[in-house]
């Protein structure tokens, strides 16, 4: 559980931080999907916060659900708007979030 949570923390602190820091690549990606910049900030805040909370046993399940929901949104966005070859990343992260959720069961 700690290993999976640590991996999620590393990935989502980076991804969320990039969105919150207004990385040009992130802005371009969200705009290519037809989403506004405020939505990028929302997703970035969820990812960054989830990356922190997934390491705390008491909040890790809630964080895993939130991160999983973000990944479902990413999968749908990529399926609709493309590029389709990038769907694998969010699918793997969804699986990791589900694994973290299941491993933290009481």
């Amino acid at each position: 559980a700690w290993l999976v949570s640590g991996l999620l923390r590393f990935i989502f602190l980076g991804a969320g931080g990039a969105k919150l820091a207004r990385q040009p690549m992130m802005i371009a990606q969200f705009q290519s999907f037809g989403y506004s910049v405020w939505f990028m900030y929302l997703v970035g805040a969820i990812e960054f916060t989830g990356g922190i909370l997934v390491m705390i046993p008491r909040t890790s399940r809630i964080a895993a659900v939130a991160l999983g929901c973000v990944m479902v949104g990413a999968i749908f966005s990529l399926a609709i708007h493309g590029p389709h070859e990038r769907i694998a990343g969010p699918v793997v992260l969804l699986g990791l979030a589900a694994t973290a959720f299941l491993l933290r069961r009481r």
Side-chain angles (χ1 to χ4, degrees), residues 11-49:
I11 292 167
F12 283 106
L13 284 179
K19 290 173 183 73
L20 294 173
R22 294 185 52 99
Q23 292 291 321
M25 180 184 77
M26 292 294 164
I27 294 171
Q29 183 178 23
F30 272 75
Q31 289 176 339
S32 74
F33 293 158
Y35 303 140
S36 65
V37 175
W38 73 264
F39 187 66
M40 179 187 73
Y41 286 131
L42 175 64
V43 171
I46 293 169
E47 288 178 345
F48 194 84
T49 304

Side-chain angles (χ1 to χ4, degrees), residues 6-90:
L7 186 58
L8 287 171
R9 176 192 62 164
F10 175 75
I11 292 167
F12 283 106
L13 284 179
K19 290 173 183 73
L20 294 173
R22 294 185 52 99
Q23 292 291 321
M25 180 184 77
M26 292 294 164
I27 294 171
Q29 183 178 23
F30 272 75
Q31 289 176 339
S32 74
F33 293 158
Y35 303 140
S36 65
V37 175
W38 73 264
F39 187 66
M40 179 187 73
Y41 286 131
L42 175 64
V43 171
I46 293 169
E47 288 178 345
F48 194 84
T49 304
I52 294 169
L53 296 179
V54 76
M55 293 302 295
I56 303 168
R58 192 170 220 172
T59 60
S60 64
R61 293 187 82 200
I62 294 168
V65 169
L67 295 173
C69 289
V70 169
M71 289 302 97
V72 168
I75 292 166
F76 279 111
S77 293
L78 288 168
I80 293 168
H81 303 288
H84 298 104
E85 61 272 5
R86 293 185 61 199
I87 289 178

